[in-house]
Amino acid sequence: MLLQLLIVFVGCTTVFAQSFTHNDIMGAVDATFHRRDLNGDSILELYELINVYDSLDTNKDDRVSESEYEQRGTDMFHRFLGIVFQQLDTDGDGFLDKGAEYGQYTMMDTNFDNQVSRREYDAFFTKVVEDAIKNYGHLLGPDLGSFTTSSPGGNGGAPVST
C-alpha cells in the first residue's frame, strides 16, 4: 500500500490546488497509471511498482522517509504529500518500507488474477487519497482539508467532513 500511494501522489498534478472532488481525485490517480505502466500493456506488474519505490529511495537504505517522498512533488504538493505519507506510514515509524508494497499489490488485485488492472489501480488509490484527506486533511488548513463527492450515490457535491 505504501508504494502505491507513493506512486499516486508523486504523479498527481495541480488538480488538488484548492478544491478536491471525487472526480478530480479519480482523474489525477488515473493519470498516474500510464506513467507507472512501464511496458505499456495496461496491466501494472509488481516490478513496475517496485521501480517507483526504488526511485523514491534516494539514499538506497530500503525505506523511504517523508523527506524523500515529498522531494518528488511540486512546491504546491509539498503540504499535500505529507498527509498521503502519513496515511501510508501505517506503523508510524516515519518510513515507508519496501516490504509493505508486496501486500499493497495483493490488496489492489481484487479479482486475484495476479495482475493489477487500470480499474483496480484507480479504485485502490482513489480510496487511499480520499482516506488521507479525511484522516489528515485538517493538517492542510480549511481550504485544503476536505473534498466533495460527485459520484453516484454521493451527497450531491457537498463537502465531506474531515
Side-chain angles (χ1 to χ4, degrees):
M1 180 170 156
L2 298 175
L3 177 60
Q4 289 75 20
L5 285 178
L6 290 173
I7 293 168
V8 170
F9 279 94
V10 167
C12 288
T13 60
T14 59
V15 162
F16 302 109
Q18 289 296 320
S19 175
F20 310 102
T21 68
H22 177 76
N23 289 338
D24 289 337
I25 294 169
M26 284 180 53
V29 166
D30 187 59
T32 67
F33 180 86
H34 297 291
R35 290 191 294 266
R36 305 305 171 228
D37 182 19
L38 300 176
N39 63 8
D41 66 354
S42 296
I43 300 294
L44 207 57
E45 280 90 8
L46 181 59
Y47 83 88
E48 292 168 317
L49 294 177
I50 296 300
N51 182 59
V52 172
Y53 181 91
D54 288 343
S55 72
L56 293 171
D57 181 18
T58 57
N59 67 1
K60 305 304 177 202
D61 64 352
D62 286 329
R63 57 190 196 163
V64 174
S65 68
E66 185 172 359
S67 173
E68 288 172 312
Y69 183 74
E70 291 181 357
Q71 286 177 9
R72 296 294 299 260
T74 64
D75 290 338
M76 190 263 325
F77 266 127
H78 184 75
R79 285 178 29 183
F80 191 72
L81 285 171
I83 68 166
V84 173
F85 183 89
Q86 297 302 318
Q87 182 71 25
L88 294 174
D89 182 17
T90 56
D91 65 3
D93 69 351
F95 296 95
L96 305 178
D97 301 309
K98 189 182 258 187
E101 292 311 310
Y102 297 100
Q104 290 181 355
Y105 186 81
T106 301
M107 290 172 55
M108 283 195 297
D109 182 18
T110 58
N111 65 357
F112 308 107
D113 65 353
N114 294 317
Q115 301 180 49
V116 174
S117 68
R118 181 175 164 187
R119 177 176 283 177
E120 289 170 318
Y121 177 92
D122 288 356
F124 181 84
F125 281 108
T126 297
K127 180 165 180 10
V128 167
V129 172
E130 290 178 353
D131 287 350
I133 294 168
K134 286 178 186 175
N135 295 331
Y136 301 101
H138 64 279
L139 300 173
L140 298 176
D143 293 336
L144 297 175
S146 65
F147 70 95
T148 59
T149 180
S150 56
S151 61
N155 62 357
V160 175
S161 299
T162 57

